[in-house]
Amino acid sequence: MSAEALPRSAAGKHNPWLMACIASIATFMEVLDTTVASVSLWHISASMGVSYQEGLWVITSYLVANALVLPMSGWLANWFGRKRYYMGSVALFTLASLMCSMAPTLEWLLLARVLQGIGGGGLAPIEQSMLVDSFHEKARPKAFALYGVTILFAPAIGPLVGGVITDALSWHWVFLINVPIGMLSLFLSWRFIDEPPLLQQEQRARRQRGIQLDWQGVLLAVIGFASLQLCLDRFERYDGFSSPFIIATALIALICLSFLPLWEWFHPAPIVDVKLFRHRNFTLGAALMFLIGLLVISTTQLLPQMTQELMNYDAWTSGLTLGAGGLFILLSMMITGAIASKMDHQQLLVVIGLLLSGLALWHFSTLTLQVDFSTLMWARVLQMVGIPLILIPVASLSYRGLPADKSSEASAMSTLLRNLGGSIGIAWVANALHQRSHLHYERLNEAVTLHDRISVKTMAEAAWQQASFIAYLDIYWLLGMMAFLACWLPLLFHKTVKVN
């Protein structure tokens, strides 16, 4: 495949696969950081003399900053130049990682994490945009298989990597390890990633027309998505809508994100191009990306939480139940990429992937407290093997019919919705577990007869454990039904569409 045949290719005269591998380095590092620090929070909190609840802002600040920049990353790439914006993001992420590793106080660390989130927010969508512009449509599934490794494998192994580094060295190295990797990424990007002449011409044309910054759209997007991320991340910890903070952030998010699409639809130079949703393939792809985020991220938190809380697994053993699924993702990615690149009806792969995911999640809902490690591991493997069958064809099909110059905005929107799916899934799972556990506990209590009351106190712990486990099964069943019910969506994709 010749990169020269594609006028928007980021590979220039180099092999596009070399460019794809280089672009994946920084994206893998950034996505890994969304989960790698989570296992170090106790160490971070203890070393800085703060409570664990205060330490949780290390995770929240990163996610909020990420959500701030994501919807604008397509516009920023078009204005500053895709390569320049990408390298600037890598540089900021790397510098912020160094600041994190040297942080003497929690305030310092939170500021560094915000900068890290701003730098990292644009990496995944810009890589996706580069892949779209550098590979012919038939080869895109293979390219997106590489992209899938970064966004699915990285968060799956994040807790394991973070735990090993923290135990072997210290929490500082969780962030410091990013510095040499970031510097390598910067050098390779400068040397092998290109800014094609066509993109340079478009950028000059924009500058000649003068800046048309959509300030109202920026404020609505920044305040709306930041409030939504804060609400979702703190929902369960602040006891849901009984908290004034949760109510306030939810209302702010609702107001801003309700007005945002109306404002952007009529703006001549929108910061968030909502008109992308006029394209059926993109809209279907965005909906399925949201579902992927919800299914993968929520269950990535659900499984280790269940095994540690109810089955007495330690953190390492619990992490292994996820790690096995992560390893099988690599194999599934390669096979799916090869198959999808030779198929005309890639929608069928998506249906199969949803069925496999639904089947695996349904299987989880049939387990008992006596389930062994092997059964849990293989159930997770079955679920994760199906995810590439969804992700790779959807990522490819979503761009059919989109104008070529909209790839950056489309990638940013797709990534944003996938992340939101994960955040909403985590918040929903936490709240549902709390409610269902209490519901089942009350029902189990009602089943105890007056004759049994003498043993109620001794049975209370076991009853609560059983109630909690049934609540987990309920969540898995509901997630499985979501996957099954979504099976008709891929059939709505247009096979061929006219680009406009």
Side-chain angles (χ1 to χ4, degrees):
M1 177 181 51
S2 173
E4 291 83 354
L6 298 174
R8 308 181 68 85
S9 173
K13 297 180 180 179
H14 304 288
N15 190 309
W17 283 106
L18 177 62
M19 178 280 302
C21 292
I22 291 170
S24 294
I25 294 174
T27 304
F28 186 90
M29 178 175 63
E30 185 272 327
V31 177
L32 187 73
D33 252 49
T34 60
T35 58
V36 73
S38 60
V39 296
S40 306
L41 284 181
W42 286 110
H43 298 268
I44 294 172
S45 302
S47 69
M48 293 184 172
V50 300
S51 68
Y52 181 76
Q53 289 298 320
E54 291 175 293
L56 283 170
W57 283 102
V58 173
I59 304 297
T60 302
S61 58
Y62 181 85
L63 294 175
V64 170
N66 222 258
L68 291 180
V69 75
L70 254 176
M72 300 183 290
S73 58
W75 186 92
L76 291 169
N78 287 336
W79 181 258
F80 292 105
R82 186 168 61 187
K83 179 179 178 178
R84 187 178 291 113
Y85 174 66
Y86 179 79
M87 291 186 64
S89 296
V90 175
L92 178 59
F93 184 88
T94 305
L95 177 61
S97 297
L98 180 62
M99 291 174 61
C100 287
S101 70
M102 300 168 59
T105 64
L106 181 63
E107 291 76 16
W108 175 304
L109 180 57
L110 294 182
L111 173 61
R113 285 287 279 176
V114 168
L115 294 175
Q116 209 184 20
I118 292 173
L123 295 179
I126 297 306
E127 181 195 355
Q128 193 173 349
S129 171
M130 289 177 181
L131 296 179
V132 171
D133 289 348
S134 303
F135 288 86
H136 291 286
E137 187 173 316
K138 280 290 185 182
R140 282 179 191 168
K142 291 182 179 179
F144 280 120
L146 178 63
Y147 175 74
V149 169
T150 64
I151 66 170
L152 292 179
F153 183 62
I157 66 168
L160 282 174
V161 172
V164 169
I165 293 175
T166 302
D167 290 341
L169 300 168
S170 73
W171 70 262
H172 302 274
W173 282 89
V174 169
F175 302 107
L176 192 59
I177 196 72
N178 291 336
V179 177
I181 299 174
M183 294 176 66
L184 174 65
S185 174
L186 270 176
F187 171 75
L188 294 176
S189 299
W190 169 75
R191 179 68 179 81
F192 296 105
I193 292 180
D194 189 49
E195 185 76 353
L198 180 58
L199 266 64
Q200 295 178 31
Q201 293 173 13
E202 292 174 354
Q203 184 188 357
R204 285 194 295 268
R206 291 188 190 95
R207 293 186 179 276
Q208 288 173 1
R209 292 194 298 268
I211 189 168
Q212 293 178 290
L213 185 56
D214 175 19
W215 287 109
Q216 294 88 342
V218 170
L219 288 174
L220 287 171
V222 166
I223 296 173
F225 285 113
S227 299
L228 179 60
Q229 187 63 58
L230 278 171
C231 177
L232 294 172
D233 189 66
R234 294 280 150 169
F235 191 88
E236 189 258 343
R237 299 185 188 107
Y238 287 4
D239 201 20
F241 287 112
S242 63
S243 164
F245 177 85
I246 296 299
I247 294 173
T249 52
L251 285 174
I252 293 171
L254 177 64
I255 293 169
C256 291
L257 298 181
S258 295
F259 279 104
L260 179 64
L262 295 173
W263 176 266
E264 298 295 75
W265 187 273
F266 297 103
H267 198 280
I271 199 76
V272 179
D273 192 355
V274 295
K275 290 184 179 179
L276 290 170
F277 290 102
R278 293 183 302 179
H279 299 271
R280 181 195 289 187
N281 277 15
F282 176 76
T283 302
L284 289 169
L288 287 166
M289 282 294 184
F290 180 89
L291 181 63
I292 288 174
L294 193 152
L295 294 179
V296 174
I297 303 301
S298 62
T299 54
T300 298
Q301 175 171 297
L302 197 65
L303 182 57
Q305 182 178 329
M306 181 180 74
T307 53
Q308 291 182 64
E309 179 185 336
L310 302 177
M311 302 175 184
N312 298 318
Y313 282 28
D314 57 29
W316 171 255
T317 307
S318 179
L320 286 177
T321 61
L322 298 178
L327 290 175
F328 273 83
I329 283 179
L330 299 177
L331 179 62
S332 181
M333 283 287 178
M334 291 185 289
I335 295 173
T336 303
I339 294 174
S341 63
K342 298 177 180 178
M343 284 186 66
D344 290 329
H345 298 281
Q346 297 177 21
Q347 301 92 319
L348 296 179
L349 291 179
V350 184
V351 174
I352 294 171
L354 289 168
L355 288 173
L356 282 176
S357 295
L359 181 62
L361 292 166
W362 172 81
H363 177 56
F364 270 113
S365 74
T366 66
L367 302 177
T368 68
L369 270 172
Q370 289 70 45
V371 63
D372 59 16
F373 172 84
S374 177
T375 302
L376 287 174
M377 182 192 72
W378 285 111
R380 177 66 175 180
V381 166
L382 178 61
Q383 181 198 355
M384 297 312 291
V385 164
I387 296 299
L389 292 169
I390 308 169
L391 176 69
I392 294 174
V394 165
S396 180
L397 291 167
S398 296
Y399 292 89
R400 285 184 181 176
L402 282 183
D405 61 349
K406 294 296 182 182
S407 61
S408 293
E409 290 98 328
S411 301
M413 188 69 69
S414 178
T415 304
L416 174 65
L417 288 169
R418 176 174 51 81
N419 288 0
L420 282 178
S423 297
I424 290 172
I426 288 173
W428 170 74
V429 162
N431 187 56
L433 277 175
H434 179 76
Q435 293 182 349
R436 301 296 294 179
S437 294
H438 281 84
L439 173 65
H440 289 301
Y441 182 71
E442 292 298 323
R443 288 179 175 175
L444 287 173
N445 257 352
E446 291 171 1
V448 179
T449 66
L450 289 174
H451 178 72
D452 297 324
R453 289 296 175 184
I454 192 171
S455 60
V456 166
K457 187 174 180 180
T458 59
M459 292 171 59
E461 185 177 345
W464 180 253
Q465 182 187 42
Q466 189 65 36
S468 297
F469 185 69
I470 297 172
Y472 279 102
L473 302 186
D474 289 346
I475 300 301
Y476 275 117
W477 186 86
L478 288 168
L479 291 171
M481 292 306 104
M482 289 182 191
F484 286 135
L485 291 173
C487 286
W488 63 275
L489 286 177
L491 304 178
L492 300 179
F493 276 109
H494 286 300
K495 180 183 175 182
T496 58
V497 290
K498 180 181 178 181
V499 178
N500 49 43

Coordinates of all heavy atoms in Angstrom, one line a residue, residues 141 177 187 217 255 270 279 298 315 359 366 377 380 397 428 437 484 497:
P141 N -9.2 -1.8 8.7 CA -9.5 -2.8 9.8 C -8.2 -3.3 10.5 O -8.1 -3.4 11.7 CB -10.2 -3.9 9.2 CG -11.0 -3.3 8.1 CD -10.0 -2.3 7.5
I177 N 8.1 6.7 34.7 CA 8.3 5.8 33.6 C 7.8 6.4 32.3 O 8.3 6.1 31.2 CB 7.6 4.5 33.9 CG1 8.1 3.4 32.9 CG2 6.1 4.6 33.7 CD1 9.5 2.9 33.2
F187 N 10.6 12.2 19.6 CA 11.7 12.1 18.6 C 11.2 11.3 17.4 O 11.4 11.8 16.2 CB 12.9 11.4 19.1 CG 14.0 11.1 18.1 CD1 14.7 12.1 17.6 CD2 14.1 9.8 17.6 CE1 15.7 11.8 16.6 CE2 15.0 9.5 16.6 CZ 15.8 10.5 16.1
G217 N -19.4 28.2 22.5 CA -19.3 26.7 22.4 C -18.2 26.1 23.3 O -18.4 25.1 23.9
I255 N -27.9 21.5 31.7 CA -28.2 22.8 31.0 C -27.2 23.1 29.9 O -27.5 23.4 28.8 CB -28.1 24.0 32.1 CG1 -29.3 23.8 33.1 CG2 -28.2 25.3 31.4 CD1 -29.2 24.7 34.3
P270 N -18.1 25.8 14.4 CA -18.3 25.2 15.7 C -17.1 24.5 16.3 O -16.3 23.9 15.6 CB -19.4 24.2 15.4 CG -19.2 23.8 14.0 CD -18.8 25.0 13.3
H279 N -24.8 11.9 9.5 CA -24.3 10.8 8.8 C -24.7 9.5 9.6 O -24.2 9.3 10.7 CB -22.8 10.9 8.6 CG -22.4 12.0 7.8 ND1 -22.3 12.0 6.4 CD2 -22.0 13.3 8.2 CE1 -21.9 13.2 6.0 NE2 -21.7 14.0 7.0
S298 N -16.9 -0.6 32.7 CA -17.7 -1.0 33.9 C -17.4 -2.4 34.4 O -17.2 -2.6 35.6 CB -19.2 -0.9 33.6 OG -19.6 -1.8 32.6
A315 N -5.1 -8.5 45.5 CA -5.1 -7.6 44.4 C -4.5 -8.2 43.1 O -4.9 -8.0 42.0 CB -4.4 -6.2 44.7
L359 N -23.3 -13.2 25.6 CA -23.3 -14.6 26.1 C -22.3 -14.7 27.3 O -22.7 -15.3 28.3 CB -22.8 -15.5 25.0 CG -22.7 -17.0 25.4 CD1 -24.1 -17.5 25.8 CD2 -22.1 -17.8 24.2
T366 N -24.9 -16.3 35.9 CA -25.3 -17.7 36.3 C -24.3 -18.3 37.4 O -24.6 -19.4 37.8 CB -25.4 -18.6 35.1 OG1 -24.1 -18.9 34.6 CG2 -26.4 -18.1 34.1
M377 N -11.8 -16.5 34.8 CA -10.9 -16.1 33.8 C -11.4 -16.3 32.4 O -11.3 -15.4 31.6 CB -9.5 -16.8 34.0 CG -8.5 -16.3 33.1 SD -7.0 -17.4 33.1 CE -7.7 -18.9 32.3
R380 N -14.2 -14.0 31.4 CA -13.7 -12.7 31.0 C -13.0 -12.8 29.6 O -13.2 -11.9 28.8 CB -12.7 -12.3 32.0 CG -12.0 -10.9 31.7 CD -13.0 -9.8 31.7 NE -12.3 -8.5 31.5 CZ -12.8 -7.3 31.5 NH1 -14.1 -7.2 31.6 NH2 -12.1 -6.2 31.3
L397 N -16.2 1.3 9.7 CA -17.5 1.7 9.1 C -18.0 3.1 9.4 O -18.7 3.7 8.6 CB -18.6 0.7 9.5 CG -18.5 -0.8 9.0 CD1 -19.4 -1.7 9.8 CD2 -18.8 -0.8 7.5
W428 N -23.2 4.1 37.0 CA -24.4 3.3 37.1 C -24.2 2.0 37.9 O -25.1 1.6 38.7 CB -24.9 3.1 35.7 CG -26.1 2.1 35.7 CD1 -27.4 2.3 36.0 CD2 -26.0 0.7 35.3 NE1 -28.1 1.2 35.9 CE2 -27.3 0.2 35.4 CE3 -25.0 -0.1 34.8 CZ2 -27.6 -1.2 35.1 CZ3 -25.2 -1.4 34.5 CH2 -26.5 -1.9 34.6
S437 N -28.1 -4.6 46.3 CA -27.7 -5.3 47.5 C -28.6 -5.1 48.6 O -29.0 -6.1 49.3 CB -26.3 -4.8 47.9 OG -25.3 -5.1 46.9
F484 N -27.1 -7.9 23.9 CA -28.1 -8.7 23.0 C -29.0 -7.7 22.3 O -29.2 -7.9 21.1 CB -28.9 -9.7 23.8 CG -28.1 -10.9 24.2 CD1 -28.2 -11.4 25.5 CD2 -27.3 -11.6 23.3 CE1 -27.5 -12.5 25.9 CE2 -26.6 -12.7 23.7 CZ -26.7 -13.2 25.0
V497 N -21.7 4.5 0.7 CA -22.4 5.8 0.8 C -21.7 6.8 0.0 O -20.5 6.7 -0.3 CB -22.5 6.2 2.3 CG1 -23.4 5.4 3.1 CG2 -21.1 6.2 2.9

